[in-house]
Amino acid sequence: MKATINDVAKQAGVSIKTVSRVMNNEPSVRQPTRDKVMEAVKELNYKPNLAARNLAGTKAYSIAFIYDNPNAYYVIDMQNGILSACKKQGFELLIHPCNSNSEGILDEITNMVKHSRIAGLVLTPPFSEMPEFVKHILALEVDVVRIMSGDNAPDDLAPCIMVNDHQASMSITQHLIDLGHTSIGFIAGQSEHMSTVERLRGYKQALKDNHLEIDQRLIIDGEYSFESGVQGAKQLMSGEVRPTAIFSCNDEIAAGALFASRLMGVSVPEQLSITGFENSPFSRQTWPRLTTANQPNPKIAEGAANLLIAKARKQAPNNITTEYTPQLVVRDSTSQKVKEQ
Amino acid sequence: MKATINDVAKQAGVSIKTVSRVMNNEPSVRQPTRDKVMEAVKELNYKPNLAARNLAGTKAYSIAFIYDNPNAYYVIDMQNGILSACKKQGFELLIHPCNSNSEGILDEITNMVKHSRIAGLVLTPPFSEMPEFVKHILALEVDVVRIMSGDNAPDDLAPCIMVNDHQASMSITQHLIDLGHTSIGFIAGQSEHMSTVERLRGYKQALKDNHLEIDQRLIIDGEYSFESGVQGAKQLMSGEVRPTAIFSCNDEIAAGALFASRLMGVSVPEQLSITGFENSPFSRQTWPRLTTANQPNPKIAEGAANLLIAKARKQAPNNITTEYTPQLVVRDSTSQKVKEQ
DNA sequence: TTTAAAAATGACAGCGCTGTCAATTCATAA
DNA sequence: TTATGAATTGACAGCGCTGTCATTTTTAAA
């Protein structure tokens, strides 16, 4: 039934250890030997037993994905990206949803790391943006890759995959400005998330670049939720300064803003333009479909996982920073500002 | 650092094997001995090493979740349910997204099962509804739990968790009828999915029970997608018989139908009532919010995983069938039928 | 050629646990 | 009490691999 390393060794006429070397891509194996082994591997459909590897060796063959995020689309995208990297490299994925605010969270993760041999962790916000947390994890001697918002790494604790929200927000805001909008509302996500900070920074930058005034009354605190979008839009549309466009920090907020507009009888995009951020599937399923910024989550996640795997194999330098910039996707929720109605 | 079974044995003053017995809940250990061991376990924060267990023993400590479903909400819910059962019982979860139509799918799963020691698989549609597939998996000597649609198990290959879509569809349809609708459109999901068949059956049953005519022109083939909802609704609203309500086979279809209504200038729910199915988060984020049926996915999944774990421990009878009936959730997308406008 | 250093390969122990089976302890009836 | 079988506990091998270190083979310089 299932072939073991022994079977392969016999079949290839070499020692067990040589097969092991080949399977681990170790250098000192002559090419002909390597070929013989690989042939046997193929013939017998051999795959190293993960349990045995874990038990015998000191290397790790799993990576863990720690997250605290209610956004199903985001999580699935990240997960698929990581999974795809893992599958290609014979790694295993441990999923660990958890609550970043819970008291025992540090112990929880520590325990998990101590009890499973783990090559590294993929950290997304908010975990990736908590330096103390990252330090604590690193002290456990596990690698970490952080996916976070910004245009360059805040420190060199661990490799970062940066999402240039600043740049992307400028594009969105510029798009709105190009359509003639000068009074643009902003509904924020949680202010503890770097992405919120960066998106706000990009928004402000674009206004500045176009010599438009930044009006604090147009900037609404919120969180990354539909409900927050509803509230934020209501507040904006009933405030003293009524914007003609709303920059929402993510698609859910935008969907909420859309909902509120309906509620208030404001038509989108005729009377009000609304933008989202993330390009999640439902940004295509609202009415009108959302103008947004596409965040290539699966690609980001796959990159993160690959980095971790490379580090586990000692074939990665320590502090690479990769950067992705979400691209503007124009759909139907934004349009030319009309003159006074 | 990490405690092994040896440490626990020493600390408790018993043999390694006795600790093993306690950890595996085997019967023949005297209570005082058991207590001593458990105390040591707690003191040392001991947790059996999964790799070693897998390598040494014949039992399995992982369950796999095989799915082919583009619906992120569904997948996350299922996954969380399974994960929660696994965590409680010290099991591991292997996630395996895949394509049920791909040619090599059987080999793919077979390989996966052969290469990782797996206690059992949680199968969702379409896999759970392919008897040949299930038989093939069972031949590999892995347990299977099927989550599927229907009001009783179609065969006794493996335990089933049935979702009574028939009943739930009757509730939805009855709700529409109670609102005065007599001409109710139906947009189907893929006809290969039992859920589609069952939902259609429930719809027809309710019509029959209320002595309403079943009009084939009101029943539209489709699939579980937004786009299909758009097409289906367009077709219905431009057909010879114009319904005053539409039963959509899931929330996404309903969202599509909503979108199409906007496109055609039909107002929901005033001129047209629309229902969804699943109660996914976005059924709360459309305008108007969807009347739908709540499917308790995490609970279903946790139940499935628990069943698998119980079977792995030989403490479950072989052919249990559990049943869940989704409950009607009335929101804003349905209303009283108005007289001719 | 010869020879030393380098490269390639192999022998073997042992990772932390469970299965098997033997040894011990306990409970019960004679 | 003692004998007898049942209940409890333990000794030990070995799961499939990798790490260490010894051995063999190759390479290249003398």
Side-chain angles (χ1 to χ4, degrees):
Chain A
M1 91 134 266
K2 196 177 53 180
T4 73
I5 195 169
N6 235 306
D7 304 328
V8 178
K10 244 174 255 167
Q11 170 107 354
V14 298
S15 79
I16 267 185
K17 183 68 225 201
T18 298
V19 177
S20 169
R21 288 202 177 89
V22 173
M23 294 317 289
N24 287 286
N25 254 305
E26 287 173 28
S28 68
V29 177
R30 223 164 304 167
Q31 195 56 48
T33 315
R34 197 177 289 274
D35 293 344
K36 266 192 302 183
V37 171
M38 285 316 290
E39 197 180 331
V41 165
K42 238 160 239 157
E43 249 171 72
L44 299 175
N45 184 25
Y46 169 72
K47 228 187 98 201
N49 178 317
L50 241 162
R53 277 184 152 183
N54 269 322
L55 194 54
T58 54
K59 302 197 210 79
Y61 299 88
S62 321
I63 82 177
F65 174 36
I66 314 283
Y67 64 89
D68 173 11
N69 194 317
N71 183 337
Y73 292 122
Y74 180 81
V75 172
I76 282 288
D77 274 358
M78 297 303 290
Q79 190 172 296
N80 284 340
I82 301 174
L83 219 39
S84 129
C86 282
K87 203 173 290 177
K88 279 181 202 147
Q89 315 270 0
F91 271 58
E92 208 177 39
L93 171 59
L94 269 46
I95 309 278
H96 194 89
C98 56
N99 180 349
S100 61
N101 291 319
S102 96
E103 219 184 298
I105 182 66
L106 252 171
D107 289 343
E108 186 182 329
I109 308 290
T110 303
N111 242 296
M112 155 170 193
V113 169
K114 281 201 174 156
H115 285 297
S116 328
R117 197 193 296 296
I118 290 180
L121 308 185
V122 176
L123 258 31
T124 51
F127 295 114
S128 54
E129 298 172 353
M130 298 157 62
E132 286 312 314
F133 181 86
V134 175
K135 270 183 212 157
H136 183 103
I137 300 291
L138 288 169
L140 268 22
E141 309 196 353
V142 223
D143 277 329
V144 162
V145 169
R146 297 190 283 172
I147 295 168
M148 57 192 305
S149 182
D151 39 20
N152 52 287
D155 54 54
D156 54 359
L157 287 173
C160 293
I161 301 202
M162 307 303 301
V163 179
N164 196 332
D165 284 323
H166 175 240
Q167 186 65 48
S169 293
M170 286 179 65
S171 303
I172 294 181
T173 313
Q174 189 63 53
H175 164 70
L176 257 13
I177 295 172
D178 290 345
L179 290 172
H181 298 280
T182 52
S183 177
I184 304 174
F186 183 95
I187 307 178
Q190 285 90 322
S191 58
E192 306 88 55
H193 284 51
M194 280 305 293
S195 55
T196 298
V197 176
E198 288 295 304
R199 287 169 197 180
L200 182 54
R201 195 160 71 85
Y203 159 86
K204 286 182 175 171
Q205 181 72 52
L207 293 181
K208 231 177 266 169
D209 289 353
N210 289 271
H211 312 293
L212 290 171
E213 186 199 352
I214 293 167
D215 187 334
Q216 286 301 333
R217 293 167 299 182
L218 289 177
I219 300 175
I220 309 285
D221 290 338
E223 54 177 47
Y224 287 117
S225 74
F226 180 82
E227 198 42 48
S228 187
V230 175
Q231 294 310 323
K234 275 186 188 166
Q235 197 175 331
L236 281 169
M237 299 311 284
S238 58
E240 8 179 359
V241 201
R242 221 177 186 233
T244 60
I246 294 180
F247 179 121
S248 316
C249 260
N250 77 351
D251 289 342
E252 260 185 271
I253 294 178
L258 235 34
F259 189 94
S261 308
R262 283 303 298 267
L263 222 48
M264 298 179 295
V266 174
S267 68
V268 179
E270 293 77 10
Q271 296 174 269
L272 178 68
S273 287
I274 292 180
T275 62
F277 208 111
E278 191 181 325
N279 193 27
S280 62
F282 83 48
S283 63
R284 262 163 276 131
Q285 311 187 165
T286 53
W287 176 282
R289 288 146 59 228
L290 287 171
T291 290
T292 185
N294 179 52
Q295 213 171 306
N297 289 329
K299 202 161 285 180
I300 292 173
E302 188 168 353
N306 277 328
L307 203 55
L308 236 28
I309 292 172
K311 286 192 82 180
R313 301 219 170 111
K314 274 131 191 126
Q315 34 195 45
N318 207 46
N319 283 302
I320 318 128
T321 306
T322 328
E323 191 181 303
Y324 290 88
T325 303
Q327 299 297 315
L328 180 68
V329 178
V330 177
R331 286 202 274 256
D332 317 323
S333 67
T334 50
S335 74
Q336 202 75 34
K337 179 196 169 190
V338 288
K339 305 279 156 255
E340 315 304 310
Q341 58 270 41
Chain B
M1 93 135 264
K2 196 177 54 181
T4 72
I5 195 169
N6 235 305
D7 304 328
V8 177
K10 242 173 258 169
Q11 169 107 354
V14 298
S15 77
I16 267 185
K17 182 67 222 198
T18 298
V19 177
S20 168
R21 288 202 178 89
V22 173
M23 294 317 290
N24 288 284
N25 253 305
E26 287 174 27
S28 67
V29 177
R30 225 165 302 165
Q31 195 56 45
T33 314
R34 197 179 289 274
D35 293 343
K36 266 192 302 182
V37 171
M38 285 315 289
E39 197 179 331
V41 164
K42 240 162 237 155
E43 251 172 68
L44 300 174
N45 184 26
Y46 169 72
K47 226 187 99 201
N49 178 316
L50 240 162
R53 276 184 154 181
N54 269 322
L55 194 55
T58 53
K59 299 197 211 79
Y61 298 89
S62 320
I63 81 176
F65 174 36
I66 313 284
Y67 65 89
D68 173 9
N69 195 317
N71 184 337
Y73 292 121
Y74 181 81
V75 172
I76 283 286
D77 275 357
M78 298 303 290
Q79 190 171 295
N80 284 339
I82 300 174
L83 219 39
S84 128
C86 282
K87 202 173 290 178
K88 279 180 203 148
Q89 315 271 359
F91 271 58
E92 208 177 40
L93 172 58
L94 269 47
I95 309 279
H96 194 88
C98 57
N99 179 349
S100 61
N101 290 317
S102 97
E103 218 183 299
I105 182 66
L106 253 170
D107 289 343
E108 186 182 330
I109 308 290
T110 303
N111 243 295
M112 154 168 194
V113 169
K114 280 201 175 156
H115 284 297
S116 329
R117 197 193 297 296
I118 290 180
L121 307 185
V122 175
L123 258 33
T124 51
F127 296 114
S128 54
E129 298 171 354
M130 298 157 60
E132 285 313 314
F133 181 88
V134 174
K135 268 182 212 157
H136 183 102
I137 300 292
L138 288 169
L140 299 169
E141 308 196 353
V142 222
D143 277 330
V144 162
V145 169
R146 296 191 283 172
I147 295 169
M148 58 193 301
S149 181
D151 40 19
N152 51 286
D155 53 56
D156 53 0
L157 287 172
C160 293
I161 301 201
M162 307 303 300
V163 179
N164 197 331
D165 285 322
H166 175 241
Q167 186 65 46
S169 293
M170 285 179 65
S171 302
I172 294 181
T173 313
Q174 189 63 52
H175 164 70
L176 256 13
I177 294 172
D178 290 345
L179 289 172
H181 297 281
T182 52
S183 176
I184 303 174
F186 183 95
I187 306 179
Q190 284 90 321
S191 58
E192 306 87 56
H193 285 51
M194 280 305 294
S195 55
T196 298
V197 176
E198 288 296 305
R199 288 169 197 179
L200 181 54
R201 195 161 70 85
Y203 158 86
K204 286 182 174 171
Q205 181 73 50
L207 293 181
K208 231 177 267 169
D209 289 353
N210 289 272
H211 312 293
L212 291 171
E213 185 200 352
I214 293 167
D215 188 335
Q216 287 300 332
R217 292 168 301 181
L218 290 176
I219 300 175
I220 309 286
D221 289 339
E223 55 178 46
Y224 287 117
S225 73
F226 180 82
E227 198 42 48
S228 187
V230 175
Q231 294 310 322
K234 277 186 188 166
Q235 196 176 331
L236 280 170
M237 299 312 283
S238 58
E240 11 179 357
V241 203
R242 220 174 185 235
T244 61
I246 295 180
F247 179 120
S248 315
C249 260
N250 77 351
D251 289 342
E252 262 185 87
I253 293 178
L258 236 34
F259 189 95
S261 308
R262 282 304 296 270
L263 222 49
M264 297 180 294
V266 174
S267 67
V268 178
E270 294 77 11
Q271 297 172 269
L272 177 69
S273 287
I274 292 179
T275 62
F277 207 112
E278 190 182 326
N279 194 26
S280 63
F282 82 48
S283 62
R284 264 164 273 131
Q285 311 187 164
T286 52
W287 175 284
R289 289 150 55 230
L290 287 171
T291 290
T292 185
N294 180 53
Q295 214 170 304
N297 289 329
K299 201 160 286 179
I300 291 173
E302 187 167 355
N306 278 328
L307 204 55
L308 235 29
I309 292 171
K311 285 193 83 180
R313 300 219 171 112
K314 272 125 191 136
Q315 35 196 42
N318 207 46
N319 285 301
I320 319 128
T321 305
T322 328
E323 191 180 303
Y324 291 87
T325 303
Q327 299 296 315
L328 180 67
V329 178
V330 178
R331 286 201 273 256
D332 317 324
S333 67
T334 49
S335 74
Q336 202 75 34
K337 179 195 168 189
V338 288
K339 305 279 158 257
E340 315 304 311
Q341 56 269 41

